[in-house]
Amino acid sequence: MLNLGCHLSAANGNTAMVKTALSIGANTFAFFTRNPRGSKAKKEDPADAAKAAAMLKENGFGKLVAHGAYTMNLCTADPEARAFAAEVLADDLRRMTGLPGNFYNFHPGSHVGQGTDVGIEYISAALKQALSHGYPVTVLLETMAGKGSEIGGRFEELKAIIDAVGSDSLGVCLDTCHVYDGGYDIVNDLDGVLAEFDRIIGLDRLKALHLNDSKNPFASHKDRHECLGQGSLGIETFRAVVNHPALKDKPMIMETPNELPGYQREINLLRSLES
Ligand code: FE
Ligand code: FE
Ligand code: ZN
């Protein structure tokens, strides 16, 4: 069975998210560990987390894919802001202890003119420090569209971070909109792109997917998500993804412009595409 879900609001706690997921036929989900456009985090509720963890197990959920805040830039130029971002990362990983054994995905960062190598160095140092605590979470670097000075638009950049950190608790979340916008042609050659991923990073590091269509054409480096089947990727791409032996057992999260009924439709659609 495919593990499908979408971003859910964490505002009412973990148990509420599991209930919402169940109500739309999801068996995984994503949530922001704190305000996605700020840095404020909710007070932790261990009893609620324990109840949610039991419900996830009972209902056979796949691994969850928490998402770090968009504002967390581990390679920003200002040293104080950079140190704060690194603290936020470490605190996010600690917070995952409430729902142990899941994934935490984040955008590697933007080097804002300092250069890719410097950016990779800062990101790797922050990750190394945050992972040194050994919290029960696997951290995933998201494949990016390569917008502006974003790091992670090339598989080589993610590989450089993984090598510099040297941890088994570090993997990759592949975002279909981002890789296509980034110049990897999963529409015409999904096998070729995955072969390249395997050659450069290794498919054993691929842990989760974001399923998004794209509002923009191939290699546009734009990053604007579209509902599945309504953008430049098209429904046949998603049919190929959910049936691909290297992908079909991974948690797949939609970040499409939808409310809950739309997500429920996309989950049903994807399940109908599975052969
Ligand atoms: Fe993301
Ligand atoms: Fe994404
Ligand atoms: Zn995106």
Side-chain angles (χ1 to χ4, degrees):
M1 185 154 165
L2 295 168
N3 284 138
L4 303 174
C6 60
H7 268 273
L8 296 177
S9 164
N12 297 315
N14 294 315
T15 309
M17 283 194 287
V18 182
K19 285 184 184 157
T20 303
L22 287 168
S23 77
I24 59 168
N27 53 353
T28 179
F29 58 87
F31 61 95
F32 286 104
T33 46
R34 58 187 70 228
N35 178 348
R37 308 205 179 272
S39 64
K40 246 179 91 78
K42 246 182 119 255
K43 200 175 165 297
E44 286 156 280
D45 182 346
D48 174 61
K51 195 173 163 204
M55 284 173 76
L56 292 171
K57 204 171 161 205
E58 225 170 87
N59 290 284
F61 272 62
K63 286 186 193 292
L64 309 183
V65 192
H67 201 304
Y70 296 133
T71 44
M72 182 182 80
N73 185 4
L74 298 177
C75 57
T76 192
D78 173 51
E80 253 174 65
R82 207 164 56 231
F84 179 67
E87 262 172 54
V88 166
L89 173 70
D91 189 55
D92 274 357
L93 301 196
R94 183 191 59 73
R95 286 169 158 272
M96 292 301 291
T97 307
L99 292 169
N102 290 298
F103 295 133
Y104 170 88
N105 161 80
F106 75 104
H107 297 181
S110 292
H111 66 69
V112 291
Q114 303 169 96
T116 306
D117 292 348
V118 172
I120 287 171
E121 225 170 275
Y122 288 145
I123 295 163
S124 306
L127 274 168
K128 227 175 175 165
Q129 174 64 31
L131 285 166
S132 71
H133 302 283
Y135 300 125
V137 58
T138 299
V139 176
L140 308 183
L141 304 165
E142 183 164 349
T143 60
M144 302 308 293
K147 192 171 64 177
S149 68
E150 241 170 31
I151 290 176
R154 303 295 310 166
F155 295 160
E156 287 82 356
E157 296 167 3
L158 300 177
K159 168 67 171 168
I161 297 170
I162 290 168
D163 281 351
V165 176
S167 166
D168 290 338
S169 300
L170 189 57
V172 174
C173 174
L174 187 145
D175 185 310
T176 55
C177 166
H178 296 178
V179 289
Y180 191 64
D181 276 20
Y184 293 100
D185 191 359
I186 55 170
V187 171
N188 297 300
D189 190 14
L190 177 62
D191 278 326
V193 171
L194 291 175
E196 189 168 349
F197 187 104
D198 194 35
R199 184 172 60 81
I200 295 166
I201 302 175
L203 277 172
D204 55 321
R205 293 277 184 177
L206 180 57
K207 306 292 188 190
L209 290 105
H210 286 169
L211 299 194
N212 303 306
D213 213 321
S214 174
K215 285 192 194 294
N216 293 105
F218 178 64
S220 55
H221 302 288
K222 282 274 193 345
D223 189 1
R224 294 276 314 282
H225 301 184
E226 181 55 282
C227 293
L228 304 187
Q230 294 174 29
S232 56
L233 274 69
I235 206 63
E236 289 312 312
T237 301
F238 294 102
R239 187 195 304 277
V241 166
V242 298
N243 287 297
H244 199 288
L247 307 177
K248 63 184 190 177
D249 63 328
K250 316 285 181 207
M252 300 177 178
I253 305 292
M254 270 75 82
E255 306 172 298
T256 43
N258 276 308
E259 302 293 332
L260 285 177
Y263 283 127
Q264 185 166 21
R265 276 196 301 278
E266 289 191 336
I267 289 168
N268 290 335
L269 170 67
L270 289 167
R271 294 210 193 282
S272 77
L273 295 177
E274 193 188 7
S275 52

